[in-house]
Amino acid sequence: MLQRPADPASAPPTVVDAIGVSGLRVPDDMTVEVALSVMASARVGYLFLCDEDEQWTSSITRAQLAVVRDSCTYTDRIRLRDILGAGGRALGVLTLSS
């Protein structure tokens, strides 16, 4: 979970601050295949990911998901939260802990 500063005015602006969270918000337990399908249906290139408290945690692009889907370690059970690294950034190569 991302730590939020006590005073939001002191936090540096983010991309989400600049554009607002008006894009598609999806739960981070969604599978990669479903996320790609949602993106194709909505004709968008990215999704905003939310945690179980419906708080925005990160975003992911279609290109990042394609890299994961095309990796040799990919299975159809991989969830979006499984491919997020430190700070909510998508990993370029899928690395799951055993």
Side-chain angles (χ1 to χ4, degrees):
M1 182 146 73
L2 297 175
Q3 296 293 330
R4 308 244 189 250
D7 179 15
S10 67
T14 64
V15 173
V16 173
D17 293 331
I19 63 173
V21 184
S22 60
L24 286 176
R25 296 175 64 152
V26 298
D28 62 2
D29 64 347
M30 180 180 283
T31 65
V32 170
E33 286 300 319
V34 171
L36 285 167
S37 179
V38 167
M39 293 172 109
S41 297
R43 297 181 182 171
V44 296
Y46 63 93
L47 296 172
F48 290 115
L49 306 182
C50 297
D51 62 15
E52 61 275 354
D53 297 324
E54 297 184 17
Q55 297 296 314
W56 177 83
T57 57
S58 60
S59 62
I60 195 158
T61 66
R62 186 181 317 199
Q64 290 169 315
L65 291 176
V67 168
V68 171
R69 185 194 55 212
D70 295 340
S71 74
C72 63
T73 57
Y74 175 75
T75 72
D76 62 354
R77 295 184 181 181
I78 303 296
R79 301 197 180 279
L80 298 177
R81 72 168 63 121
D82 296 335
I83 61 174
L84 297 177
R89 301 205 187 273
L91 302 171
V93 178
L94 186 60
T95 56
L96 297 175
S97 55
S98 314

